[in-house]
Amino acid sequence: MFALVDANNFYVSCEKVFAPWLEGKPVVVLSNNDGCVISRSDEAKALGFKMGEPVFREKGLVEKSGTTLFSSNYTLYGDLSNRMMKLLGDFSPEVEVYSIDEAFLDLRGIKTSLQEYALRIKDTIRKNIGIPVGVGIGKTKTLAKIANHIAKKQNGIFIIDTERLRDWALRNTPVEEVWGIGRQYAKKLSSMGIRSAYDFTLLNSNWIRKNMSVVGLRTKEELLGCSCIPLEMMMPAKKNIATTRAFGKKLTDIRIISEALATHAVRCAEKLRKQKSNARFVTVFIHSDPFSANEKYIYKTYTVTLPVASNTNVDIVKAALSGLRRIYQQGILYKKTGVIVTELSDESCVQENLFEEGNNPGLKKITKVADLINRRFGRDKIKLAIQGNNKEWKLRQEKLSPRYTTCWNELLKVKA
């Protein structure tokens, strides 16, 4: 049996751990730059706040309902997530961290009642971390996912351990909510009259393989109770990496935009080195405000091919700035820029270029030393000059909560 443990409204729940007086009240966490809604408490959902919606459109609702807003605090969320995953390791030797707020557990060998075990997991996370979770259990990972969806609508626990319960769960799960059925496939299936997970299991396997590949077939087998998707204990390396941010205010000066873009490129290079990869393509984009009623929306992108795949700050930044110069237009008020690196390969296997000079070994050494210093003394203690010190492009985080668990100066203060 597999269990899926999924935190409820994770970002909001993290904020409530240190602000318990917000329990039962509408709370919303905003995306980078305090732009869009990315997490809502149940009370905020009931009021009509929608995921991804720009919060400025709901200014009246925020004031009228007394909704509390938070800037996203990923340092806090990441630390609480690590603590939650470490705690889950006490319940199973095999835990797959699926995302920041959910994990699969292999429950083979558990002799006690699964209902009691799930309740113990739920209560332990709540007591030790302060985060409410739902626990879904099934014979396969896909059934555990469905069980978790149902659990969150009930008392937080649901176990599919009989054929009767499996049949009931599949008949009451819309096909678009099935793990592995993407939005496009869901549209196609809906047009064919396939409404539920149960309907999907009745489809001919040959048709599924032909139209939805082996992934669709695997999903059908999982829904029928045949486990085809094992736990992934090692996080697979990412196939592409992106760092994108909206500016704190609209910008038109290419010098300031270059500072922002260079910093994003450095972040991409850091992530590449962390997973020991090199990138061959560096794509940059820039766009104006898509929500502006007065300005024309402009979106430009350009991809630079590196002569030899690299992960050094200098190579990635040079390529990014080269791309920016090709797509930048004067007089436009830009809102966001970003860097995406693709065609990733293992850094130990570098294909050299016959006609152009390859990676500079000196740059590799400088990057390594800079990483060591920045890890010890803090991010960007050593950086490229082009990254600058301008604050005009920096994120607006006016409602940022303290980093309670990772910074001595921001510990929670208790008065007696």
Side-chain angles (χ1 to χ4, degrees):
M1 299 290 272
F2 294 93
L4 177 67
V5 181
D6 187 8
N8 302 344
N9 313 322
F10 183 62
Y11 295 167
V12 162
S13 295
C14 290
E15 298 291 352
K16 284 185 177 178
V17 170
F18 299 95
W21 54 88
L22 292 175
E23 204 59 50
K25 296 180 180 175
V27 179
V28 164
V29 172
L30 304 173
S31 61
N32 285 327
N33 233 12
D34 296 348
C36 300
V37 175
I38 57 169
S39 182
R40 307 159 293 165
S41 65
D42 290 339
E43 296 76 17
K45 291 176 188 173
L47 284 170
F49 286 98
K50 293 183 174 57
M51 285 293 281
E53 188 175 46
V55 75
F56 73 84
R57 288 183 179 169
E58 298 296 347
K59 195 176 175 183
L61 180 58
V62 171
E63 291 173 357
K64 187 179 174 185
S65 61
T67 299
T68 303
L69 303 179
F70 285 99
S71 304
S72 45
N73 186 344
Y74 294 114
T75 306
L76 176 67
Y77 310 153
D79 185 63
L80 290 186
S81 171
N82 288 337
R83 292 170 189 238
M84 186 175 98
M85 300 308 171
K86 195 175 287 184
L87 209 52
L88 289 176
D90 294 341
F91 290 94
S92 171
E94 296 190 7
V95 177
E96 176 189 337
V97 179
Y98 184 67
S99 67
I100 191 169
D101 61 348
E102 59 184 327
F104 287 102
L105 278 66
D106 188 336
L107 298 185
R108 276 179 297 182
I110 301 298
K111 303 294 182 189
T112 185
S113 153
L114 288 176
Q115 184 73 31
E116 286 178 15
Y117 206 67
L119 184 60
R120 206 187 308 165
I121 292 173
K122 181 170 172 270
D123 289 348
T124 303
I125 300 291
R126 180 68 166 177
K127 181 182 175 187
N128 292 17
I129 311 292
I131 302 286
V133 299
V135 183
I137 297 177
K139 283 176 74 176
T140 69
K141 288 170 75 177
T142 305
L143 287 175
K145 268 269 191 188
I146 288 177
N148 194 283
H149 278 300
I150 299 170
K152 289 196 171 179
K153 296 172 187 168
Q154 301 188 2
N155 63 353
I157 295 172
F158 192 80
I159 303 172
I160 301 176
D161 55 355
T162 65
E163 279 302 299
R164 185 181 63 80
L165 277 174
R166 187 182 66 82
D167 185 81
W168 178 87
L170 297 192
R171 287 178 188 273
N172 286 279
T173 300
V175 70
E176 63 268 22
E177 288 185 10
V178 176
W179 189 44
I181 305 280
R183 191 179 300 172
Q184 294 305 319
Y185 283 136
K187 278 184 187 174
K188 182 171 184 157
L189 292 169
S190 180
S191 69
M192 296 166 54
I194 308 298
R195 309 288 182 202
S196 68
Y198 178 80
D199 295 338
F200 183 73
T201 61
L202 299 181
L203 278 173
N204 182 285
S205 295
N206 290 331
W207 184 92
I208 295 176
R209 179 189 283 275
K210 183 179 177 184
N211 293 278
M212 299 177 68
S213 77
V214 71
V215 176
L217 193 58
R218 200 170 55 184
T219 299
K220 177 184 172 179
E221 292 297 316
E222 286 254 319
L223 290 173
L224 292 172
C226 177
S227 181
C228 309
I229 309 175
L231 287 186
E232 291 186 10
M233 306 302 291
M234 296 292 290
M235 192 74 78
K238 292 180 180 176
K239 294 179 180 175
N240 56 63
I241 292 172
T243 302
T244 71
R245 297 282 184 276
F247 304 129
K249 64 179 188 180
K250 295 176 187 177
L251 298 172
T252 189
D253 189 334
I254 191 171
R255 291 172 304 169
I256 303 174
I257 295 172
S258 295
E259 289 186 9
L261 191 70
T263 302
H264 299 338
V266 166
R267 298 289 169 261
C268 279
E270 289 170 350
K271 291 173 188 173
L272 281 170
R273 295 195 292 276
K274 190 174 179 183
Q275 71 168 30
K276 302 186 185 305
S277 296
N278 282 338
R280 186 75 196 284
F281 299 139
V282 179
T283 300
V284 296
F285 73 83
I286 189 166
H287 67 71
S288 56
D289 187 353
F291 301 109
S292 174
N294 308 317
E295 300 153 19
K296 186 181 175 185
Y297 179 58
I298 301 285
Y299 180 93
K300 297 277 185 183
T301 183
Y302 192 84
T303 298
V304 177
T305 304
L306 296 173
V308 176
S310 173
N311 61 14
T312 67
N313 292 351
V314 172
D315 288 337
I316 305 297
V317 169
K318 269 186 179 177
L321 294 178
S322 162
L324 174 66
R325 286 192 288 273
R326 288 177 176 269
I327 57 178
Y328 170 80
Q329 287 179 253
Q330 272 189 330
I332 306 290
L333 282 171
Y334 292 105
K335 181 63 181 171
K336 185 174 182 178
T337 189
V339 180
I340 305 161
V341 289
T342 53
E343 191 75 12
L344 308 190
S345 58
D346 193 303
E347 68 174 357
S348 62
C349 306
V350 179
Q351 177 67 51
E352 296 291 343
N353 191 308
L354 186 62
F355 304 104
E356 297 190 51
E357 193 176 336
N359 288 331
N360 182 340
L363 278 184
K364 286 266 182 192
K365 287 180 184 173
I366 292 171
T367 303
K368 196 172 180 180
V369 171
D371 282 346
L372 284 171
I373 293 172
N374 286 335
R375 269 201 295 273
R376 181 168 179 182
F377 297 104
R379 175 179 274 184
D380 288 339
K381 281 292 180 285
I382 287 188
K383 60 184 180 181
L384 299 174
I386 187 65
Q387 291 179 251
N389 293 305
N390 203 305
K391 293 183 180 176
E392 289 188 57
W393 62 270
K394 296 285 175 66
L395 289 177
R396 192 170 61 233
Q397 293 178 304
E398 295 172 349
K399 304 178 187 305
L400 187 66
S401 56
R403 295 164 294 175
Y404 298 106
T405 57
T406 55
C407 180
W408 287 109
N409 297 329
E410 296 178 22
L411 284 175
L412 190 68
K413 292 175 184 167
V414 179
K415 294 180 182 177

